[in-house]
Amino acid sequence: MKTSDLNSSLSTGAGAPVFVSSETAAAVFQWLPAVRALQETYARPLGAGAVPRRTIAAGAAERASLRTMTAVPPGSRYYGAKLMGMAFGPAGRQLEYVVVLFDATTGSLAAVVDGNLVTAYRTAATSAAALDRLAPHRRACLAVLGSGLEARMHTLAIASIRELSEIRVFSPTAAKREAFADAMAAELGVRACAVESPAEAVGGADIVLAAARSYGEKPILQGEWLAPHATVVSIGSTLPDQREVDSSVVARAGLIVCDNVEEVLEESGDMLAARRDGVEPDAKCISLNDLMSGRAARVEGAMAMYKSVGSGLQDVVVAGMILDLARSAGLATPLPIRFETKRIG
């Protein structure tokens, strides 16, 4: 193709891959459509190879690592991967995310999406998708452990599927938890208060969000604090050396829904610690796919927990939704590139 022809193709957007920035993602993202898209995707049969386990390549001398999460979501227009690169440089640790999407109908590169906000959006939207199936359909008191980006995103996502009567937040820094409570009260129009201990936040709450790995990797949530009817969302222990909930929480749960059962059981520090403490979680765990498809449901009268380690399927589904919205809004940026296509057969 001549340069003039390529430029013409790119200027019209015909077949051109695009870039979607975090600013654009924030401008077009919508909580409830993301939750519903994830519910619909997880309700479909997932082939054995549709969502492979994540891989991590690491170089000790280079002090660098690359995590890759791939997926071909059933029924989706897109398939692709999220890449997470981390390295230690003069300024300290730096981490960047990118989601690469391919068009399932053509096999062509569709977009490169900044993955920073996508990661926060997809984690929270998937938690809300699970919670919508696990928590009773009534007004709920929400306890939040943590006051960072994930805590904020999860609170907004949960508010999209349940009416909240109250939000109680605890995090170790008083100024941060107070700022979080003020921000959520203003944004959601719900009574929100900062409290001085995690037990005070959790006591009697209908929904408990654990979104803060504790200092020293010690559990931040204890089972004895939980009301019998509580539903727990835990997102902070995704690697063997990370802790968030105590083994007593795992012991109390009658059902544990996992976005990836194998990775939760084998790679989450919380589950590994539970086994060391004599608590066996395997029989309690079901997949998010089983929950959404109706093959399994909450055990009545027993505490339920959603445990997340993240999945490339979530990244692709949410990034694909953002891509379509960005294109419709005219906010996707065409990339001045073209790849050679190899045709087989």
Side-chain angles (χ1 to χ4, degrees):
M1 177 179 282
K2 296 179 181 179
T3 301
S4 58
D5 293 334
L6 174 58
N7 288 337
S8 175
S9 173
L10 292 172
S11 65
T12 61
V18 300
F19 171 68
V20 179
S21 67
S22 280
E23 291 79 9
T24 293
V28 302
F29 180 77
Q30 301 172 33
W31 283 111
L32 200 54
V35 171
R36 299 303 181 219
L38 287 160
Q39 288 176 331
E40 291 171 7
T41 301
Y42 272 107
R44 298 185 179 110
L46 292 177
V51 190
R53 294 183 66 159
R54 58 188 170 182
T55 62
I56 302 175
E62 296 80 7
R63 303 183 72 197
S65 66
L66 178 66
R67 186 184 302 185
T68 307
M69 303 168 73
T70 59
V72 182
S76 174
R77 177 180 175 182
Y78 305 107
Y79 66 95
K82 182 169 76 175
L83 308 177
M84 293 166 282
M86 184 180 72
F88 288 85
R93 186 174 70 167
Q94 179 169 308
L95 176 66
E96 290 192 2
Y97 304 80
V98 62
V99 181
V100 181
L101 297 176
F102 292 85
D103 190 309
T105 61
T106 66
S108 299
L109 178 68
V112 176
V113 183
D114 188 318
N116 183 40
L117 280 181
V118 170
T119 300
Y121 286 146
R122 61 82 151 153
T123 305
T126 308
S127 294
L131 194 62
D132 192 38
R133 297 288 189 267
L134 292 173
H137 285 261
R138 58 174 182 255
R139 294 180 77 223
C141 171
L142 171 64
V144 181
L145 303 181
S147 57
L149 177 63
E150 286 289 5
R152 177 178 178 273
M153 293 298 187
H154 272 75
T155 300
L156 296 175
I158 292 168
S160 76
I161 56 100
R162 288 294 183 275
E163 182 183 357
L164 298 179
S165 59
E166 181 185 15
I167 300 169
R168 299 197 298 257
V169 58
F170 169 80
S171 67
T173 304
K176 290 183 178 179
R177 62 183 182 247
E178 289 165 4
F180 181 92
D182 290 344
M184 291 298 96
E187 190 161 357
L188 297 174
V190 175
R191 179 178 180 271
C193 60
V195 297
E196 296 185 357
S197 73
E200 186 179 355
V202 171
D206 303 296
I207 299 170
V208 177
L209 168 64
R213 285 165 40 203
S214 62
Y215 289 106
E217 297 299 351
K218 295 179 181 178
I220 194 172
L221 178 62
Q222 300 289 327
E224 64 189 40
W225 301 337
L226 295 162
H229 66 280
T231 305
V232 175
V233 173
S234 172
I235 65 165
S237 172
T238 63
L239 296 172
D241 61 349
Q242 295 175 343
R243 295 298 312 278
E244 184 175 54
V245 305
D246 186 72
S247 298
S248 59
V249 177
V250 180
R252 284 202 56 185
L255 180 70
I256 302 172
V257 178
C258 312
D259 53 358
N260 186 309
V261 175
E262 288 185 359
E263 290 187 18
V264 166
L265 290 174
E266 297 173 16
E267 298 185 25
S268 167
D270 289 337
M271 296 302 172
L272 297 176
R275 286 199 188 92
R276 291 195 297 270
D277 292 337
V279 179
E280 184 49 65
D282 296 53
K284 303 179 180 185
C285 290
I286 67 167
S287 71
L288 192 53
N289 183 232
D290 284 338
L291 180 69
M292 293 301 171
S293 65
R295 289 191 295 270
R298 178 171 184 161
V299 179
E300 289 299 325
M303 193 202 82
M305 177 166 68
Y306 170 65
K307 183 69 179 175
S308 170
V309 293
S311 167
L313 182 145
Q314 301 157 19
D315 293 302
V316 171
V317 169
V318 172
M321 185 196 81
I322 289 171
L323 170 60
D324 287 341
L325 291 171
R327 284 187 184 276
S328 296
L331 297 177
T333 304
L335 295 173
I337 58 175
R338 191 173 189 86
F339 290 91
E340 289 189 15
T341 301
K342 183 177 182 180
R343 291 177 172 80
I344 303 173

